[in-house]
Amino acid sequence: MTEHVWSYTSTSGHLAGADLTGYKVEATDGSIGKVDKHSDEVGDAYLVVDTGVWIFGKEVLLPASTVTRIVPEDAKIFVDRTKEQIKDAPEFHREKHLDDPGYRDELGTYYGLPPFGGRTF
């Protein structure tokens, strides 16, 4: 049910094998941090973003489907969620959740919902 959230969209500009570490990540309403780790495995692609002081130095895990655009020239990644939506996502702890299928399902369900609660603009 949530497999699609773990894949980049064809329009994101993602190139397999590209190193995204250090890229700045921009939500729809501002910067959320930098990519600390990423995976571009088919069906299991994600970004781990170090939020710095924004969420008290925590990391967040973003499924690849949240990426709308990658701009290599500027080392920036744009995602289709607000800062609040990302902050409200299930809490991420690298040592506990990175390889936890149950957490992935929970996160996949959260991010598998339409970005704005089904609203269209």
Side-chain angles (χ1 to χ4, degrees):
M1 178 176 123
T2 62
E3 307 85 35
H4 69 286
V5 302
W6 301 105
S7 299
Y8 288 97
T9 63
S10 60
T11 57
S12 69
H14 177 261
L15 298 173
D19 185 6
L20 304 175
T21 306
Y23 275 44
K24 293 179 183 175
V25 180
E26 298 283 331
T28 58
D29 57 352
S31 178
I32 63 165
K34 290 186 178 184
V35 175
D36 185 49
K37 177 180 174 46
H38 66 94
S39 166
D40 60 0
E41 282 187 44
V42 175
D44 190 30
Y46 60 82
L47 304 173
V48 175
V49 180
D50 180 348
T51 63
V53 297
W54 174 57
I55 312 180
F56 309 110
K58 293 187 179 182
E59 293 179 316
V60 294
L61 183 71
L62 296 175
S65 65
T66 62
V67 174
T68 57
R69 186 168 43 121
I70 299 172
V71 184
E73 315 70 69
D74 298 332
K76 281 191 178 180
I77 297 172
F78 296 85
V79 297
D80 67 356
R81 298 298 195 274
T82 65
K83 293 166 83 172
E84 192 68 25
Q85 288 171 315
I86 294 166
K87 188 176 177 183
D88 290 346
E91 193 169 349
F92 174 68
H93 297 285
R94 181 189 296 247
E95 61 284 343
K96 180 178 177 185
H97 292 131
L98 203 53
D99 296 316
D100 178 356
Y103 176 75
R104 292 290 180 91
D105 286 345
E106 180 182 6
L107 199 64
T109 298
Y110 179 83
Y111 282 110
L113 300 173
F116 301 103
R119 294 183 313 222
T120 55
F121 295 93

